[in-house]
Amino acid sequence: MTVNVLLADDQALVRAGFRVLVDSAPDLVVVGEAANGHDAVRLARQTMADVVLMDIRMPGMDGLAATREITSDEAMAGVRVLVLTTFEIDEYVFAALQAGASGFLGKGVEAGELQEAIRVVARGEALLSPSATRGLITRFLAGPGVSAGHVPDDLAVLTEREREVMTLVAYGRTNDEIADLLGISRVTAKTHINRAMTKLKAHDRAQLVIIAYETGLVRPQTR
């Protein structure tokens, strides 16, 4: 199954480099290029790309605004955004996750890492970088938490097991790890996660993590 990829970056040479890396994989193909956020949104809607590689700093509409517009449009529910960053300004990365991005990736990534990252985001099965994402959440949501066992009103629609699984997702656990910790099958773990995302209208696991912290289901951990 081929994954369609849209490149959004204001630098033509950067786009050209990523096109080569993406197109070198037999299961990935670049279906369009955008030099600004407006074109990224337009082409995402036009091509219905599976994954948008989105730069943050672009003229006119930036990557944050473009990400927000893409992920909030029900007509593009199947389009996922992978943010490209130099990791220089973490606030932008976190804001991108809040806007609905599925994860983030450094621009100096190797070809194999980029290709696998696109596949992971296209599947929607796991955060691209759980530990790094967790670190950002810890930094920017480091406020008063809630006591263990408290069920936020916003999460009342979830079953106890779904909340338990959501908590483990928020701490960066993979489906296999969740299954082992709870003594359930990987398929069952994935089912609970998908049901939680559906009930909370989460676009993907990244948004599920954001919701877990914002509602106070889990509190940021200090290291």
Side-chain angles (χ1 to χ4, degrees):
M1 186 173 181
T2 301
V3 177
N4 295 325
V5 181
L6 173 63
L7 306 178
D9 195 294
D10 62 334
Q11 298 183 48
L13 286 178
V14 173
R15 295 198 307 272
F18 278 118
R19 175 180 280 275
V20 171
L21 295 181
V22 172
D23 284 342
S24 65
D27 59 332
L28 308 177
V29 60
V30 174
V31 295
E33 295 185 23
N36 57 64
H38 287 293
D39 285 346
V41 174
R42 177 179 59 81
L43 289 174
R45 185 176 290 115
Q46 179 181 315
T47 66
M48 292 305 292
D50 299 300
V51 177
V52 180
L53 289 183
M54 183 78 75
D55 187 26
I56 292 178
R57 291 180 169 181
M58 291 186 290
M61 177 186 286
D62 65 16
L64 295 180
T67 296
R68 192 174 297 109
E69 188 161 336
I70 290 171
T71 59
S72 64
D73 189 334
E74 293 185 1
M76 292 189 282
V79 180
R80 302 185 185 279
V81 177
L82 177 56
V83 171
L84 297 171
T85 176
T86 57
F87 295 103
E88 293 175 352
I89 305 179
D90 290 343
E91 289 88 346
Y92 283 179
V93 177
F94 184 73
L97 292 175
Q98 285 187 309
S102 297
F104 55 92
L105 191 66
K107 286 189 175 181
V109 67
E110 297 292 332
E113 292 177 292
L114 172 68
Q115 293 162 358
E116 184 56 27
I118 292 171
R119 296 184 187 106
V120 168
V121 170
R123 292 195 303 265
E125 292 184 359
L127 288 172
L128 177 56
S129 180
S131 60
T133 302
R134 215 163 49 240
L136 289 171
I137 290 170
T138 299
R139 177 176 172 185
F140 296 106
L141 283 180
V146 295
S147 58
H150 175 76
V151 180
D153 292 339
D154 292 343
L155 303 184
V157 295
L158 303 183
T159 65
E160 182 177 352
R161 177 63 88 183
E162 288 165 352
R163 287 193 295 270
E164 190 173 18
V165 170
M166 182 176 173
T167 299
L168 293 173
V169 170
Y171 285 131
R173 299 290 188 174
T174 65
N175 288 0
D176 288 336
E177 290 172 336
I178 292 172
D180 289 341
L181 286 169
L182 300 181
I184 58 180
S185 70
R186 185 181 186 280
V187 173
T188 299
K190 184 177 180 180
T191 297
H192 286 310
I193 294 168
N194 288 340
R195 286 177 178 170
M197 288 194 298
T198 299
K199 290 180 179 179
L200 297 175
K201 296 180 174 57
H203 190 257
D204 52 29
R205 288 174 70 123
Q207 285 195 342
L208 200 63
V209 172
I210 294 294
I211 293 171
Y213 280 90
E214 288 185 331
T215 59
L217 178 65
V218 294
R219 68 173 70 216
Q221 295 178 316
T222 58
R223 302 186 179 188

